[in-house]
Every structure is written in structure tokens, then in C-alpha cells.
Amino acid sequence: MNELWISPVKFLSVLLAVAVTAHAAPSDPGKVAIDFLEKVRLRKLDLEPGGDTALSAQTADEKKRQIARRLDRMASDLGSDPLEVGEVKLDENFAAVLIRKVSGVDPSRLQIFPVALVKRGAEWTAAPVPASFENAGAGHAIALRKRLELLENWMLREQVVDLEKLREQSAERMRRKIEVSLPAKDLRSFNAKEVGARFLAACERPEPATVLGLLGGLAAKLPDDWAARLKAVDRAFAPGSAAARPWRLLTSREVIRVLVHHEEQNASGLISIACLDPAGTPSSRPRFEAIECDLTQSADGLWQINLPANFLQEPAEPAEPTEPGEAPDDLLESGHLAAFPAEWSRVHPPVPQPEAELARQALSHALGAGDLKSLLAISQLGGSPEQAGKACLEAAAIWWAIHDPTAVRHAMPLAFTAGQTAAVGMFQFFSTRDPDRLDARTFYFEKSAAGWLWTPEPTARTRGEFQAWVDSESRRWPDEWQQTLMSDSPVLAKTHGLQAPAKEQARKTVEAWLDATRRGDVTTALPLIARLDDPRSGSTALQNIGYEIIGSRRNKEVPVITGIYQGAGWTAVGVRNDQEGKPSHPLYPVIQTERGPRILIEIDLFASGNRGRDYLNRTAFERLQKSSSVAATAELRDLFSAHQATVDALSDTAPR
């Protein structure tokens, strides 16, 4: 067999030639245009000469501000929909590119964004003004200006032409999408129950194309109100946003829903969906809500769901919240809603635990990391329809008390006792709004032949069996709950004098703390702190944990460690947080304990030139000195001064 041999020198020459060719390959104008719009969308475009655009260095400041405002409006138009490259027109070192926004299902939301590009060397760069070569340093020669005007006119003309073309094609594109997720032959084979089940599944997953197919999108003649149906589905399934009522009842992961009734006769039918929204309404506690939809069948056998009129209307402004009211008694027994608990349990059978303690653990998980489905899975929903309905409503209210986004709460176990067939536990509902207030809740468990379940509506016998225990615990916890809650948070006086933690240990401790507070995880946060030997220590520490969690929820950016400062007894970690565009610079004092490094969260120090903050820092040092020593306080002051110097230096070098 003949072999091709190339000398090492020749091989190296070829390799270098390939490398030079690859380096000189021009960038793709379509990709550059999309990258430009992505930065505009994120509002992270560097609009300075030599930045992300071809902006001329001679551009006046006022003109820069005008361009920035125009790009900001474009960012709002771009939204969060994906982009694709349309037509591209090249003219030597200049290009015009049309970028399409084609996501969503509403053709009225289709848009075309023209982007002008200038080529510098082998690289394309976007002009700063959309659809224009203005302020791109393109030159002023008459011949060149005529060429650029032709490109600009092409962009403006083709923007309209391409948009019309897209809108004409949108119906066929949508039909193809629907057919992929819901073939017409499947829709013909469904009965009313299967139509309802597929609709619920498509709303939950979510699959907007399937929803549109079930709303008539596969019909030879589309429904008369098809434009309204398209707009409604587009709003309900818009990426990055939560659907407003009534679509929330069908799409939110917080809401649980079940098909409770279906009927069909000839070419028509009806489905009834019962929903339980733990958030309730602005004027009431959680309650059952019904959605009833008519079904019609076309001549070729395609089923179509006709939603209630309020699903097709523009969402109204939310009403002002009022005090929660009680769900009407007759609501629990009226119509198909009364079937909710039984039908839910049939579709989602409960999961009893073999032991009472395991049932308590399952409840703790469902209240914290789980969802309302997982809570109902360990709940006793038996008895009469009315009792089962009240149990569902109680479970929803309890779960929402923890997961309401307007307040951070955490269910923390305090005590538990079990008998042969029943058990009871107490939980503290820690709240960042009132972190030092006792909010103890009692939960009962009952045992059946299948195992243990939480009982939202316990029997009188169960309550009576544990009444003395509940009364005794209720008297005990006001004085003891903080100590129990903070049993893994060592007291400083018992560990004072140990060597300062290593810098890497301190870093990991603070990183774990920042992660826990961002997640609102009080159980993980508490073992990361130490406490002063002071009667107010528990309340102060819990209050500061509450402040940290609230602050973390407001931060859009992840906190950044800016410095670690080590002394003999302290290692302090400086952090930068951004709250609503305003930076803050806390310093976390970390001390070594017999259980490892811990943050002394009661001593809250922030680098600042603000007089009010300086006063609070002095107060924190005075409090520390009373509970530790002059030397320990002086050392932490020195570390804080180093942190302040770092922050001042960063502020001096930050772009203005």
C-alpha cells in the first residue's frame, strides 16, 4: 500500500496556513446581528466607542443618550422570545440583516428587527442605530452615502414585506406545530373525558400548541373568535411570566385541579374541572372553583373545547386585597365541586407512612420543599364530602402560609408525641416579618390499616387524647422556643479564645450562608451562626436572619465576596450585594468554635460613608465589647477598617 509522506517542514507550513486562514475567516453577519439584539434585550450593551457597536468616537453625548433610549425601547419590544435570522443583504463592508421574532402563537406579536452592520477587518459589528448606518463612522463620500441609503431603504421596505409574509405563513406554521403535538387522528378518537384529561395535561406541562389544537386549531374552518383564542393562549403561556386569573387556575403549578365531571351526547359534550388555588382570591381564603367548558364536534369528528368568555378577555387590573373571608358552606356541597376530594384521591392515592415519626417527617418536607400535591398525598381526606372538602381547604391554607411569596416563612418542628393510633406535633412558623415571635401550630396524625397520615380535620377523640399535652407544650414554648430553635448555634462565651478560622473555611461558611438566605432556608442558616452570651441574643440573631433573607430576595445579582481579612481570633469576609441597583457592602465576622467556623450574625457591619450606618456600626461594636473583650473588639475594628478601605478603592475605580 502506498503511503503519502509529508516532510515536517512542509507539514508545519500547511498547518500555519490553515491557522491563518481560520483566523482571518469573517464573522457571520446573521449571528452578529442576533448577538447584538441579545445584548440589547438584556440591557447589557456596551454603547461606547470600541464596545459592542460600531459607534463613532465623534458621537456627541446627547446623541448617545438618544440612541440609548431608543435601544431601551427596542429591548422591551424584544421581550423574551427567541430570534432567528431572516434576509441578509451584503454590499462589500456593509450589510443589512433582518431578524425575526417568531415565538408565541399570536401573529400580531410577530416582529422584524432590521440591523445594520459594518465590517472592520474580518469582523462584522452592529451599527448603534437600528436600520441605519448613522453614527457608525461610515464616511461621508456621496457615492458611499448613496450605497448606504439603498441598504437602509431595503431594510425598511423588506421589514414590512417580511412581516406580512410571516403573518400569512403563521396559520400554516401553527397548524404544523399543533399536528406534531396533537395529531388530528388522535383528536377524532377521543371521548369527552379524554379531551378533558388531555387539556388539563397540556395546560400543566405546558403545551400551548396542544391547547390550541383542543380549542379548534385543527378545524378546516377556524372558530369565529379564533383571534381572541390565540391572544388568550399567547398571554397565558408567555415565557417568563405567570398567567393571571382565570388562566392561573389551569396553568399554575401551585394550583391543583381535577376533572370531576364529563358528559357527551351526539356531537356535543361538557367537562367540569374543579380547582383549588392555595393563594385564594384577593378577597377570600382558598376555596374550590369550577371551570365548565362546552364541547362541540365538527362534521369530520374533531372535538373542540369552548372556554368560558372570561378566559378570552384581557386580564383586568387586580383588585385591592381585603381581609380573607370564609368559603361559603354551600360551596363544599354544591354541584360537581363536592366530588373534588374523592376524585383527587382516586387519581392521586394517598401515601400513608408505616410510622408516626415518618409521617411527621413527610409533613415537614411537604411544608418546606414540597408542593400542595405532596401535602395532600400525606393527608387524610376521608369522612363525608363536606369533611373531606374542609380538610383540602385547611391543607391549602396551611401550605400557602409557608409559600406565600409576600412573606418568607419556615415550618420548624418543636415537639412531637405519639400514641397507638394517633399522634400530635407542634411546629414554629418562623416568619421574616416577625422573626422573634412565637407562632406555634398544632398538627394531628391518625393511623389507619394502611398507615399514618396527617389529619387536617382530626376527630374529637384524637383532640381529646392529646389535649393535656398540647396545653402543657403551649405553656412551655413561649420561654423555650428560641433556645430550642437555635440549639445548633453555639454561644460565643463558651468558645471564645480559639484561633481564627482559615480563610478558605471562612469563605465556605459565608458562601453557605449566602446560599441559605437566598433560598430562605432557615434550617440550614441557623447552624452556620454563633451567638453572644446575652439575654437578647436569640431575638437579635433571628431578626438579623430575617433581614438577610428579605434582602437576599430583593437582590437580582448573586452576592460577590470582595475580600477576606484574618486576625488572631477573627476572620472577616467582605461581600458586595446589589439591592435595586444600590450596592451594599456587609462584613461577616467568622469565629472558630468547637463545632467549626460560625458567623456572628448579630454584629452586622456595613462599609459606608453614611452617618446613620456609621452609628449602627459603632453600636454593633459596643454590643460586642460588652459580651466579649476590648481586645477582640479592637481586632474586629481593624478588620472592618481593611474592608472599608477595599470598598473605597473599588468605588474609586468603578466606571462613572
Side-chain angles (χ1 to χ4, degrees):
M1 184 175 68
N2 294 329
E3 294 183 354
L4 178 64
W5 183 83
I6 301 176
S7 71
V9 173
K10 187 173 183 181
F11 176 76
L12 182 59
S13 300
V14 172
L15 186 63
L16 288 171
V18 171
V20 170
T21 302
H23 179 72
S27 56
D28 176 68
K31 182 179 184 305
V32 171
I34 283 186
D35 289 345
F36 164 73
L37 291 179
E38 289 292 354
K39 289 180 179 178
V40 170
R41 186 207 311 260
L42 296 173
R43 293 178 168 86
K44 292 186 177 180
L45 188 76
D46 181 1
L47 192 60
E48 289 294 331
D52 294 325
T53 72
L55 183 74
S56 169
Q58 283 71 47
T59 305
D61 288 342
E62 178 56 32
K63 183 61 178 179
K64 287 182 188 177
R65 287 190 286 271
Q66 291 177 7
I67 295 171
R69 288 193 292 269
R70 185 169 177 178
L71 293 176
D72 189 64
R73 290 193 296 271
M74 179 183 278
S76 300
D77 292 338
L78 285 164
S80 58
D81 297 314
L83 305 173
E84 66 177 38
V85 179
E87 294 292 326
V88 178
K89 189 175 181 64
L90 300 175
D91 183 354
E92 295 184 2
N93 291 335
F94 302 94
V97 181
L98 300 182
I99 302 297
R100 298 167 162 181
K101 185 179 82 167
V102 296
S103 184
V105 297
D106 180 6
S108 68
R109 288 186 56 223
L110 294 169
Q111 283 185 276
I112 306 294
F113 297 92
V115 180
L117 300 175
V118 178
K119 193 175 183 182
R120 305 279 170 80
E123 298 295 323
W124 289 101
T125 306
V129 180
S132 172
F133 292 92
E134 182 183 356
N135 296 104
H140 301 283
I142 295 177
L144 178 59
R145 281 305 315 161
K146 287 183 177 179
R147 287 166 52 199
L148 297 184
E149 284 177 10
L150 288 174
L151 283 176
E152 290 172 346
N153 291 336
W154 178 87
M155 281 188 280
L156 295 175
R157 182 178 65 253
E158 290 302 311
Q159 179 183 22
V160 177
V161 172
D162 199 36
L163 182 57
E164 285 302 313
K165 188 190 304 180
L166 272 181
R167 286 178 175 167
E168 289 172 3
Q169 297 171 349
S170 64
E172 186 57 35
R173 287 172 60 143
M174 179 51 59
R175 189 179 186 90
R176 288 198 298 270
K177 283 184 181 179
I178 293 172
E179 278 278 11
V180 170
S181 60
L182 181 65
K185 62 180 179 60
D186 291 351
L187 189 54
R188 286 191 186 94
S189 68
F190 290 161
N191 57 34
K193 181 179 180 181
E194 290 168 332
V195 169
R198 188 65 180 270
F199 179 64
L200 280 182
C203 288
E204 290 178 0
R205 279 176 184 150
E207 294 176 355
T210 301
V211 172
L212 284 172
L214 292 164
L215 295 182
L218 292 176
K221 181 182 181 302
L222 294 172
D224 293 338
D225 59 353
W226 181 244
R229 297 186 186 211
L230 272 176
K231 287 181 180 293
V233 172
D234 194 66
R235 286 193 303 268
F237 296 95
S241 62
R245 280 175 166 267
W247 277 99
R248 169 183 165 81
L249 295 174
L250 292 174
T251 62
S252 173
R253 293 185 179 276
E254 294 169 348
V255 179
I256 58 174
R257 55 194 76 84
V258 67
L259 187 67
V260 291
H261 178 74
H262 59 89
E263 61 183 66
E264 62 181 278
Q265 185 176 8
N266 299 327
S268 63
L270 174 75
I271 57 173
S272 294
I273 301 165
C275 307
L276 176 55
D277 184 355
T281 67
S283 60
S284 72
R285 286 165 49 87
R287 54 180 292 176
F288 296 111
E289 299 181 62
I291 300 172
E292 294 194 344
C293 305
D294 293 327
L295 305 182
T296 55
Q297 198 172 26
S298 63
D300 59 352
L302 292 176
W303 282 106
Q304 175 181 304
I305 296 176
N306 301 303
L307 291 167
N310 59 337
F311 278 82
L312 305 183
Q313 297 167 356
E314 292 277 352
E317 289 294 322
E320 288 294 322
T322 59
E323 286 298 314
E326 294 295 329
D329 290 340
D330 61 352
L331 185 64
L332 302 175
E333 303 174 356
S334 63
H336 304 302
L337 288 176
F340 180 98
E343 189 62 23
W344 176 266
S345 297
R346 187 188 68 80
V347 178
H348 306 276
V351 185
Q353 300 297 314
E355 299 176 11
E357 170 58 23
L358 294 177
R360 185 200 65 80
Q361 292 177 17
L363 175 66
S364 184
H365 172 79
L367 289 175
D371 53 17
L372 183 52
K373 288 182 180 179
S374 64
L375 184 58
L376 289 187
I378 59 165
S379 301
Q380 173 58 257
L381 304 179
S384 68
E386 183 179 7
Q387 289 174 318
K390 287 182 177 179
C392 288
L393 295 173
E394 179 65 16
I398 288 290
W399 188 83
W400 189 247
I402 296 293
H403 294 274
D404 182 350
T406 62
V408 178
R409 291 189 179 89
H410 202 85
M412 312 188 74
L414 293 177
F416 182 73
T417 187
Q420 293 296 316
T421 59
V424 63
M426 294 190 75
F427 285 74
Q428 158 67 355
F429 274 31
F430 174 88
S431 169
T432 54
R433 287 180 174 175
D434 299 293
D436 57 347
R437 182 175 72 87
L438 175 64
D439 182 11
R441 310 283 183 103
T442 304
F443 293 84
Y444 293 89
F445 304 82
E446 293 178 351
K447 182 182 181 182
S448 67
W452 290 85
L453 290 169
W454 170 49
T455 309
E457 289 288 309
T459 64
R461 178 180 177 181
T462 296
R463 289 183 182 275
E465 180 180 348
F466 294 102
Q467 190 61 56
W469 183 89
V470 170
D471 291 343
S472 175
E473 294 295 311
S474 299
R475 289 191 296 270
R476 180 165 73 93
W477 286 115
D479 297 326
E480 298 182 19
W481 75 273
Q482 287 189 359
Q483 296 302 317
T484 299
L485 208 63
M486 307 182 72
S487 59
D488 290 331
S489 305
V491 177
L492 179 61
K494 299 177 182 177
T495 56
H496 182 57
L498 296 179
Q499 186 176 1
K503 287 187 176 182
E504 189 58 26
Q505 284 184 313
R507 175 191 293 275
K508 290 182 178 179
T509 301
V510 171
E511 286 176 343
W513 168 264
L514 294 173
D515 177 66
T517 52
R518 280 183 73 82
R519 291 184 289 107
D521 188 351
V522 183
T523 303
T524 300
L526 281 171
L528 295 171
I529 70 170
R531 293 181 290 148
L532 295 173
D533 188 13
D534 183 296
R536 297 175 298 158
S537 176
S539 294
T540 304
L542 290 173
Q543 286 173 356
N544 285 358
I545 289 174
Y547 297 149
E548 291 265 332
I549 290 175
I550 292 172
S552 294
R553 287 165 63 88
R554 293 174 179 164
N555 294 348
K556 294 182 179 179
E557 303 293 333
V558 176
V560 177
I561 291 177
T562 56
I564 302 178
Y565 316 93
Q566 190 174 33
W570 300 98
T571 302
V573 180
V575 171
R576 176 192 167 108
N577 283 321
D578 284 302
Q579 270 188 34
E580 300 173 350
K582 297 180 180 179
S584 65
H585 302 274
L587 182 73
Y588 294 96
V590 184
I591 191 168
Q592 191 67 265
T593 75
E594 293 174 353
R595 302 183 192 180
R598 296 289 189 270
I599 300 169
L600 191 61
I601 197 62
E602 294 167 70
I603 305 304
D604 48 343
L605 303 169
F606 286 78
S608 171
N610 180 284
R611 284 187 177 182
R613 186 64 251 181
D614 291 343
Y615 170 78
L616 294 175
N617 288 338
R618 286 197 302 273
T619 302
F621 281 123
E622 290 168 2
R623 187 159 184 266
L624 174 63
Q625 185 167 314
K626 290 178 181 178
S627 297
S628 59
S629 67
V630 174
T633 305
E635 180 185 301
L636 186 57
R637 282 183 187 274
D638 291 340
L639 300 183
F640 177 73
S641 296
H643 171 58
Q644 181 71 63
T646 298
V647 172
D648 292 341
L650 290 172
S651 300
D652 290 340
T653 58
R656 299 182 185 277

